[in-house]
C-alpha cells in the first residue's frame, strides 16, 4: 500500500512540477519571432562559432570586391593612350604636378580596393612596396622592390615640404626606427597630406598622413630620382 502511495505521489509531482519546467525550457530554446535570427544563415541555424566563421568569410569577400570606379583616358609620357580607373571622390591631382608623377599617381589609384597580399604585385593582391614598384613601372622607371631599398632611392624630404610623388615610410609601432611600410603622397596642401598605400588590413587605400596613427609611426620621406 505504501509503495502504491509513493508511486502516485511521484506521478503527481512529475505532472505538477517537473513536466511544466521541462516544457518551459524547451520553449525557451526555440528561436523567437523577434529574436532577429542571430544564428540563422542561408535557411538554417548555426552555432555561435560557425556564425563567427561565416561573418569573417563574408567580410573577407567584401574586402576583395572591386570598388566602384570611373574610367578616363589619358596620355602617357610616351604619347600612348591609357585608360585609368579611379574611385569617385579622390582628390584631383594638382595642376603643377609633372606629367610622369601624375601618371604614377593615377596608376597607383587604379589599384584602389585591391586586397593586401605579402609579395603581391597584381590586382589579385598587392603589398606596399609592390604597389609603388608597379606604379613607377607605368612610366618605365624600375625602382627597388623592398621598402628598405626604396627608402634609399631618393633625396630626404622634410614633412613640411612634401609633394605629390614623394615616398613616405613608417615603422610597425610608434617611435620605431625600423621601416616596415611605405606609401606615396598623392595630395599635399597646407591643410592635409594624403598618401596611397597597401594597408595590411584594408588593401590599397588613401589616408591622411596627419592622423595620430600614421604620424606616430612616420620615420622619413624621400623624393624619387626620376
Amino acid at each position: 500500500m505504501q509503495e502504491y502511495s509513493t508511486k502516485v505521489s511521484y506521478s503527481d509531482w512529475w505532472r505538477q512540477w517537473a513536466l511544466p519546467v521541462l516544457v518551459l525550457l524547451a520553449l525557451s530554446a526555440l528561436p523567437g519571432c523577434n529574436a532577429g535570427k542571430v544564428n540563422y544563415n542561408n535557411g538554417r541555424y548555426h552555432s555561435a562559432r560557425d556564425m563567427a566563421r561565416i561573418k569573417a568569410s563574408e567580410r573577407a569577400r567584401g574586402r576583395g570586391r572591386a570598388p566602384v570606379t570611373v574610367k578616363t583616358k589619358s596620355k602617357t609620357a610616351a604619347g600612348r593612350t591609357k585608360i585609368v580607373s579611379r574611385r569617385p571622390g579622390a582628390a584631383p591631382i594638382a595642376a603643377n604636378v609633372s606629367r610622369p608623377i601624375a601618371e604614377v599617381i593615377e596608376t597607383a589609384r587604379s589599384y584602389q580596393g585591391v586586397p593586401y597580399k605579402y609579395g603581391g604585385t597584381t590586382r589579385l593582391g598587392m603589398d606596399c612596396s609592390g604597389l609603388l614598384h608597379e606604379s613607377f613601372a607605368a612610366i618605365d622607371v624600375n625602382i627597388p622592390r623592398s621598402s628598405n631599398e626604396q627608402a634609399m632611392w631618393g633625396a630626404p624630404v622634410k614633412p613640411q615640404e612634401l609633394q605629390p610623388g614623394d615616398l613616405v615610410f613608417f615603422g610597425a609601432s610608434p617611435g620605431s626606427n625600423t621601416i616596415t611600410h611605405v606609401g606615396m603622397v598623392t595630395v599635399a596642401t597646407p591643410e592635409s597630406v594624403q598618401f596611397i598605400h597597401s594597408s595590411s588590413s584594408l588593401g590599397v587605400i588613401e589616408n591622411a598622413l596627419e592622423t595620430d596613427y600614421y604620424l606616430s609611426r612616420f620615420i622619413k620621406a624621400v623624393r624619387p630620382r626620376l
Side-chain angles (χ1 to χ4, degrees), residues 8 28 43 56 67 71 85 99 107 110-111 115 117 121 149 151 154 156 169 190 200 211 215 226:
V8 171
S28 65
K71 294 183 178 181
S85 301
R99 185 61 247 171
T107 301
S110 75
Y111 286 99
K117 180 182 179 181
T121 57
E149 292 175 319
F169 299 86
S200 58
T211 59
L215 271 185
L226 296 181

Side-chain angles (χ1 to χ4, degrees), residues 65-84:
R65 290 174 187 154
V68 176
T69 57
V70 173
K71 294 183 178 181
T72 57
K73 291 184 179 181
S74 63
K75 293 289 186 178
T76 67
R80 297 188 297 268
T81 300
K82 177 183 177 182
I83 297 178
V84 176

Side-chain angles (χ1 to χ4, degrees), residues 93-94 96-98 101-102 105 162-167 184-189 194 223-224:
I93 299 172
N96 61 346
V97 175
S98 69
I101 289 297
I105 293 173
L162 287 170
Q163 298 176 5
D166 290 345
L167 309 186
M184 178 176 61
V185 175
T186 54
V187 177
T189 69
Q194 302 286 322
R223 187 154 297 152

